[in-house]
Amino acid sequence: MPDQTQTLFTHGTDAAIRDLVLATDWSTTPLGPVGSWSESLRAAVGICLNNPFPMLVMWGPELVMVYNAGYAPILGDKHPAAMGRPCADVWAELWPLLRDRLVGVLDGTATYDVDLPLLMHRHGFDEATWFTFSYSPITAPGGEVVGVLNTTTDTTARVLGARRLTALQGFAGIASGRHGDSDLAAQAAMSVLARAAEDVPFGLVYLLDPDGRSAHLAATTRGPVPGPVALVERLPSGSVADWAWTALTSGRRTVETGMAGRLTGLAPPGPLDDEDVDVAVALPLVVAGQSAPVGVLVAGVAPTCAWTTTTWPSWSSWPGRSPPWSPTRRPTRPSGAARPSGPRPSARSPGPPPRCR
C-alpha cells in the first residue's frame, strides 16, 4: 500500500474506515492517486479521517467525497460505495436542496443549518430525517476555494422525540380529566392524535359494545368531516378490516400492510411526505385493573417512518397506565377471546417510534 496513504492516519483512526481508504483505488477517482494530492487536500482529509465527530470532505469541481467513521452511519446503505464518489451521485435525492448551499460555499460563504429536514433514501425507502450541519470552504495557499468541509450531527431522534412528547403531554391532559362517556373521551384523544399527523396520519378507535361481541367506531382523527373513503362502522364486519377485531380479541398488536390501495388520500401532511400510507397498526386498549382489552386503536404509520414491534407499545405502557378514555362501564370479554399472554411492553417504552428508520 502506498506510503502516502498511510501517512493520512494517526494511531487512533478507526480501523474499518482506515481499511476502506487504503483499499480505495484513488487513481480511478477525480482526485487521482494519493501521491499527487496537494498539501491542502492531504491536510483536510487527515483532519477528517482522524476526527471522531461526523465529518465529510468534498473536493474539487466534482465535490468528491472522503468521509470518516462518524459519517459512515449517516450514509446507510450508500456506505462504503460512497467513498471517492461525487456528492451529486451519492446524495442524488438531496442534490436539489444541497446544490445551492454548496455553490455559495464554493464562492467563499459558509453555511449553517439547524434541524434541516432531509428526505433521505439510504435504507431502501424515503426516510424523514433532520440534521444540524455546516459547510465550510477549504482554501488553497493562494486563497481560492478548492473544497468543502461538512461537519454534521443527526438530530432526528431529538426532533421526533420533542414532537411526540408534545402529543403524549396532550394525552396526559385528557387522562387527568373526567369523562362520563367513553366515546366522548375517545373523541378527545383522537383530537390530540390528529395534531401528530406527521407521525400518525390517521387514527380510529373502536370500543367494545356492552355485550362484548362487537365494537363500534367511537372516534377518528378526521373528526366529523367525511373522509375520502368509507369507514367500517362496526367490528367484526366480515371485511378486510377484521384484522383489527383480531387484535382486540387477542390482546396483541397487529400490523397490516398493503393499505395504500385501500386507504388512498390519507397521506400525512408536510413537505416531506408524498406517498399513501401503506402500513397500519392495531393496538389493543386496556384500562387499569383489567387485562381484557376494551377497544382497539387503528393507527396509520407515516410512509417515511419505520415500524417495529419494540417501538409501538400498547396503551397500557403509556404514562398513567390507562387510556385517556377509561370507560365508566367496562365491557365483558368478547366471546371466545383469549386472555392476553406473554410479556407486557415495558412501562418505560417511549410511545410512538423514537426515530424514522
Side-chain angles (χ1 to χ4, degrees), residues 103-203:
V103 167
V105 177
L106 292 174
D107 285 338
T109 304
T111 68
Y112 181 64
D113 288 278
V114 177
D115 296 336
L116 182 70
L118 299 172
L119 193 62
M120 293 181 166
H121 194 89
R122 56 179 181 172
H123 294 297
F125 72 106
D126 290 335
E127 174 189 1
T129 66
W130 286 259
F131 281 81
T132 292
F133 64 95
S134 67
Y135 284 157
S136 304
I138 303 173
T139 59
E144 69 272 22
V145 177
V146 289
V148 177
L149 177 64
N150 173 211
T151 54
T152 185
T153 183
D154 186 343
T155 58
T156 302
R158 183 183 61 76
V159 171
L160 292 181
R163 195 165 78 187
R164 293 166 189 180
L165 179 60
T166 299
L168 289 177
Q169 290 171 337
F171 283 117
I174 297 174
S176 64
R178 293 183 177 274
H179 297 275
D181 184 280
S182 56
D183 283 39
L184 290 179
Q187 292 165 18
M190 289 300 95
S191 69
V192 172
L193 191 62
R195 298 197 292 269
E198 289 178 305
D199 295 317
V200 184
F202 66 87

Side-chain angles (χ1 to χ4, degrees), residues 186-243:
Q187 292 165 18
M190 289 300 95
S191 69
V192 172
L193 191 62
R195 298 197 292 269
E198 289 178 305
D199 295 317
V200 184
F202 66 87
L204 307 90
V205 172
Y206 291 90
L207 295 179
L208 277 175
D209 295 323
D211 63 5
R213 297 179 181 275
S214 60
H216 62 279
L217 180 61
T220 79
T221 50
R222 296 175 183 169
V225 179
V229 294
L231 299 177
V232 175
E233 296 291 335
R234 305 193 70 81
L235 298 175
S237 63
S239 70
V240 292
D242 283 350
W243 65 278

Side-chain angles (χ1 to χ4, degrees), residues 74 83 99 167 185 208-209 217 225 294 327 346:
I74 294 172
M83 186 67 77
R99 178 178 52 218
L208 277 175
D209 295 323
L217 180 61
V225 179
V294 299
S346 166

